[in-house]
Amino acid sequence: MKKRHLFSLLGASALSLVIGGCSQEQATTETQQVVQAKPAKSYQWKLVTTWPKNFPGLGEGPERFAKEVERMSDGRLTVKVYGAGELVPALEVFDAVSQGTAEAGHGAAYYWKGKVPAAQFFSTVPFGLNAQELNSWVTYGGGLELWKELYEPFGVIPALGGNTGVQMGGWFNKEINSIDDLKGLKMRIPGLGGEVLERAGGTPVQLPGGEIFTALQTGTIDATEWVGPYNDLAFGLHKAAKFYYYPGWHEPGTALEFTFNKKAFEELPKDLQAIVEVAARMVNQDMLDEYTARNNAALEELVGKHGVQVRRYPDDVLQALRTIADSTIKEIAEKDASVKKVYDSFEKFRANVQKYHEISEKAYINTRS
Ligand code: CA
């Protein structure tokens, strides 16, 4: 029996006790007896995603999760990752995890707004929290408790599963010079951002990532947002539209999520539960790190090699969208007690963190530029 198995079975402190009281040989014999008496049970999980298999950034999160879980558990928990459509369609991930078709899922909470309206706050809110702030609200500001409460009736446990950082505003084939230019525009834009566009006179369309390029190229939609330079370049969106707008007012730091079937999670021994939680937390930070590193290189390529024209939304357009966004979100919250509860927590956190970030993050970035 190899020593690393001794570690995983007994833990480091138990190991030192055993070795401290007897010879190495005796310790090994004792371990064998432990192994014979209690063979380690292994678990195989299926993880379904809303992303195409191995899609850069978003799709790599669940792959890394699977790899780290297997490594940390020494193979006692293995996770097989299924891309969108391989086991279930992209937008049925939540249901699949809820029903136990898969033990785990990876996606974004705003995809489930039809089922859990308040879930949107756990992906992104127009003009809301950025990545750093959202991580803080969920982890240390009471967000996670509210999120768990929302998914509890579905037998699903949520966890943060990555963040894109501030997204880009989207791809258009015409310039946006005033709020009126959004009227009649058929744009792929999910979640609350979509509702804001609708109130500004546009038509929001919900499409999973894998269907965006064809829809834009064939004119089924006039415009789209996706993520940012790294992902948008990979999808070839620059081949179907020439104007690339910023900033992504609608998604200022979109969080991805892991979902776990509650029963499957609770069947795991405590150490494997901890491994699942720690691996999710690792992926959450890792994805943001990767996006930050790759987006600027991809933007250079889009502009330098493909001639993409980068445009900033005019201030008055952003201001108009901001006004619509605030009233839209408030209105949704007033209609539904479960949304109101999350909204109140989110808004309180936003107001406070905004004050502090004025004199910290923002002040520093302005100083540097
Ligand atoms: Ca997006």
Side-chain angles (χ1 to χ4, degrees), residues 110 164 167-168 188 190 225-228 250-251 254:
Y110 55 26
T164 63
Q167 297 201 357
M168 285 293 284
R188 185 270 177 191
E225 67 77 57
W226 176 223
V227 182
H250 63 302
E251 298 198 55
T254 304

Side-chain angles (χ1 to χ4, degrees), residues 5-17:
H5 288 138
L6 183 68
F7 259 99
S8 63
L9 284 162
L10 298 177
S13 57
L15 172 69
S16 62
L17 279 177

